[in-house]
Amino acid sequence: MSKQTYRRTKIIATLGPASEAPEILEAILRAGTDVVRLNFSHGSAAEHRARAERIRAISSKLRRHVAILADLQGPKIRITRFKDNRKVHLQQGQPFTLDTALPADAGNESQVGCSYESLPRDVQAGDTLLLNDGLIELKVKSVEDTRVRCIVTIPGVLSNNKGINKLGGGLSAPALTDKDKQDLHTAVDIGADYLAISFPRSKDDILEARELLRQAGSDMAIVAKIERAEAIREGVIEGIIDVSDAIMVARGDLGVEIGDALLPHEQKRLIRLARQHNKVVITATQMMESMIENPQPTRAEVSDVANAVIDGTDAVMLSAETAAGHFPERAVAAMARICLEAEKYPRLRHSQHRNDQSFHRIDEAIAMGAMYIANHLPVSAIGALTETGSTPLWMSRISSGIPIFALTSHEKTCRKVTLFRGVYPISFDESGISDHAVLNRAIVEEFLKRKLVKNDDLVILTKGDLTGVVGGTNALKISRVADVLAASPVIVGSTPPAEE
């Protein structure tokens, strides 16, 4: 297989009514989905468990490693409902009140209830509130007890249960609600690989989730969804990134809170910061929104996905496009096609990452050294024996067109690395092989079985003196495939069966 056929940017597809049927789920996996997102804003624990079992069964049938991302709902900062479930037309300049004490189904043309009881304490005269993803804008005129009295500054049609954001941030709702804490246990029970935390305000929200996972007996990786204005402030965002395994640039609520004009700059900054901190980054929301209804993306959507790829995102995410759209398989295929073309951009094959920094761990130095060598020699593949995925993660922070194969006996690690840019998992059991030459041969034979390399290709292999030890990578070998084969006798049964 030619290395040019590898898509380095990973694709996350959200499961929903349009894609949960077994034949559709299989189709979107075949089209290029690497991670399946379960949106805990919808559905019961039993439904999510059934979906997870379906994902595992179909990925096993396809002999592919597919990760599951469990996305917690977070705090619901919403209006309640209108009388008779009708829609109201808000006119520019008209008074409109949000009242946390109003009955849940008593909204009308002049007022509506609010499910967020702290709203009157979190806002003051002069603040701007944005409803329905920013389509409607209200200016706060006064706060009286439970009532937030406003003037409509951007008119529109308002219906039940629409979200509320405050321009500039500042709503104090906790990131983890009681529902989220219950859903966290469901995510652990179903064996999810990543847990996404919605609306974190600081690193403390992530640390709270980490402790809840620990108490539940899980070391699941955590994705911090960056969607509050206060979360991107200098010093705060670095803290969130440091205690997370990945971040998601959740452009919907974030764009509403900071304003659409600032969003492109912040997206680029967040991608850059995550990579500088050796963390994974996902770009999400409305990437191919038109494909909910149409079989082809718009040119603007093509450019949006491509620019995220060029900026270095690890993954791009589809939401309603696959959860509720008419063309879930086509949406995944289109995104895969765009990513592959964007990855040909020359800048993506060069990197200055950490050239001026010192390393504090041997395994980290080995990873960085391997990528520097790979970018300066005609290397065809990199094989990294790994327990937890740390070495291939560090490698993937370096821009390169060379595929990184994470070889591990741990299924959990195989699924975890599916989110890392340019990293591809291989189930590989090195137990019982203590001789380095024999182990090297076993690895390149595995590559040959999978048609990943040819005899005259140059490869880089990284591993530790003691296999099965976390953080033990301390060896790097550069060799041609044929030379590795010649350096060790054949040992029958030293490599596992190849996957398709």
Side-chain angles (χ1 to χ4, degrees):
M1 182 183 292
S2 170
K3 67 182 179 182
Q4 284 80 13
T5 63
Y6 288 104
R7 172 174 45 82
R8 300 196 296 284
T9 309
K10 304 309 179 71
I11 294 174
I12 303 173
T14 302
L15 208 60
S19 52
E20 63 183 358
E23 64 276 12
I24 304 299
L25 177 55
E26 180 172 337
I28 66 171
L29 293 184
R30 288 185 182 276
T33 298
D34 300 286
V35 178
V36 176
R37 171 178 173 247
L38 301 181
N39 185 358
F40 277 65
S41 295
H42 309 284
S44 65
E47 288 170 330
H48 289 305
R49 185 171 290 106
R51 287 168 177 163
E53 290 172 357
R54 204 172 303 132
I55 293 164
R56 297 294 188 227
I58 294 174
S59 60
S60 177
K61 170 188 171 183
L62 299 178
R63 305 186 75 179
R64 287 190 53 205
H65 302 289
V66 176
I68 293 175
L69 167 64
D71 193 340
L72 301 183
Q73 176 178 278
K76 293 177 66 174
I77 305 176
R78 300 179 183 274
I79 63 169
T80 54
R81 299 183 298 279
F82 292 94
K83 188 176 181 180
D84 300 325
N85 291 321
R86 66 178 183 268
K87 298 178 181 179
V88 301
H89 294 258
L90 300 183
Q91 306 298 323
Q92 185 160 358
Q94 81 166 75
F96 191 74
T97 297
L98 303 174
D99 188 350
T100 59
L102 195 71
D105 55 356
N108 55 38
E109 287 76 7
S110 64
Q111 62 181 347
V112 73
C114 175
S115 63
Y116 178 52
E117 294 183 359
S118 297
L119 184 67
R121 295 192 294 273
D122 286 353
V123 301
Q124 59 187 354
D127 285 344
T128 297
L129 297 178
L130 303 143
L131 279 62
N132 194 16
D133 291 331
L135 296 178
I136 295 172
E137 183 178 288
L138 308 177
K139 182 71 72 176
V140 177
K141 303 304 290 183
S142 65
V143 179
E144 301 170 8
D145 195 20
T146 62
R147 292 175 292 279
V148 178
R149 300 192 184 279
C150 306
I151 293 292
V152 177
T153 50
I154 295 180
V157 178
L158 189 61
S159 57
N160 293 343
N161 303 313
K162 296 303 181 184
I164 303 172
N165 294 88
K166 178 183 172 186
L167 186 64
L171 298 181
S172 61
L176 289 168
T177 66
D178 290 341
K179 178 184 185 305
D180 293 330
K181 292 173 184 178
Q182 293 174 358
D183 289 341
L184 178 148
H185 284 277
T186 300
V188 173
D189 290 343
I190 67 177
D193 303 286
Y194 287 91
L195 184 73
I197 308 301
S198 297
F199 300 101
R201 294 166 297 174
S202 71
K203 67 178 183 180
D204 292 338
D205 293 322
I206 307 303
L207 292 173
E208 180 185 2
R210 185 82 69 189
E211 175 60 19
L212 290 171
L213 285 173
R214 187 194 66 78
Q215 292 174 10
S218 173
D219 60 353
M220 192 186 310
I222 291 180
V223 179
K225 295 172 66 178
I226 308 304
E227 43 197 340
R228 280 179 159 165
E230 54 264 48
I232 64 172
R233 292 172 185 159
E234 188 173 353
V236 176
I237 184 59
E238 290 85 355
I240 291 174
I241 291 172
D242 281 340
V243 299
S244 304
D245 299 285
I247 65 168
M248 180 189 295
V249 187
R251 305 182 303 177
D253 284 282
L254 181 62
V256 171
E257 292 209 355
I258 68 174
D260 53 9
L262 289 177
L263 187 59
H265 164 76
E266 286 302 328
Q267 175 177 312
K268 290 177 181 291
R269 183 174 79 98
L270 290 168
I271 291 173
R272 183 176 68 253
L273 280 172
R275 293 185 66 82
Q276 286 174 350
H277 286 72
N278 293 318
K279 300 299 174 71
V280 175
V281 56
I282 302 162
T283 305
T285 317
Q286 295 180 330
M287 301 215 76
M288 306 185 84
E289 186 89 348
S290 72
M291 289 196 74
I292 297 172
E293 302 289 342
N294 301 310
Q296 296 289 347
T298 67
R299 300 297 179 265
E301 288 166 343
V302 171
S303 295
D304 182 32
V305 173
N307 277 314
V309 172
I310 291 169
D311 287 340
T313 192
D314 286 89
V316 284
M317 191 173 95
L318 294 164
S319 299
E321 299 95 331
T322 52
H326 297 306
F327 308 98
E329 180 185 358
R330 291 182 70 103
V332 174
M335 186 166 266
R337 183 175 68 247
I338 295 163
C339 290
L340 277 168
E341 288 302 316
E343 288 166 0
K344 295 177 183 178
Y345 188 63
R347 195 179 76 191
L348 295 184
R349 298 173 184 268
H350 303 281
S351 178
Q352 299 297 318
H353 180 68
R354 302 192 68 186
N355 275 359
D356 59 346
Q357 296 181 21
S358 299
F359 306 124
H360 303 288
R361 295 178 52 162
I362 294 173
D363 50 354
E364 184 180 10
I366 290 289
M368 296 296 100
M371 296 309 297
Y372 185 88
I373 294 166
N375 279 344
H376 290 79
L377 280 175
V379 172
S380 295
I382 300 166
L385 274 176
T386 183
E387 291 290 306
T388 65
S390 294
T391 299
L393 173 62
W394 285 320
M395 290 177 174
S396 69
R397 302 307 86 185
I398 303 292
S399 297
S400 172
I402 302 162
I404 302 163
F405 296 101
L407 300 117
T408 180
S409 60
H410 305 295
E411 175 62 23
K412 184 169 72 171
T413 302
C414 281
R415 295 198 300 262
K416 182 179 180 181
V417 305
T418 59
L419 193 57
F420 301 174
R421 184 178 176 117
V423 176
Y424 314 93
I426 292 178
S427 293
F428 183 85
D429 185 4
E430 78 280 11
S431 61
I433 307 176
S434 57
D435 184 278
H436 275 271
V438 174
L439 183 55
N440 293 337
R441 181 185 183 106
I443 294 171
V444 298
E445 285 183 340
E446 187 70 22
F447 284 178
L448 287 167
K449 286 180 182 179
R450 297 167 182 265
K451 298 181 172 58
L452 305 177
V453 296
K454 301 184 295 295
N455 276 350
D456 58 348
D457 283 344
L458 198 63
V459 295
I460 291 177
L461 308 178
T462 65
K463 54 189 182 301
D465 286 335
L466 299 175
T467 59
V469 176
V470 174
T473 297
N474 62 1
L476 184 157
K477 182 175 181 64
I478 313 162
S479 184
R480 297 199 180 278
V481 169
D483 295 337
V484 173
L485 296 175
S488 171
V490 177
I491 294 192
V492 177
S494 64
T495 59
E499 296 174 353
E500 293 178 355

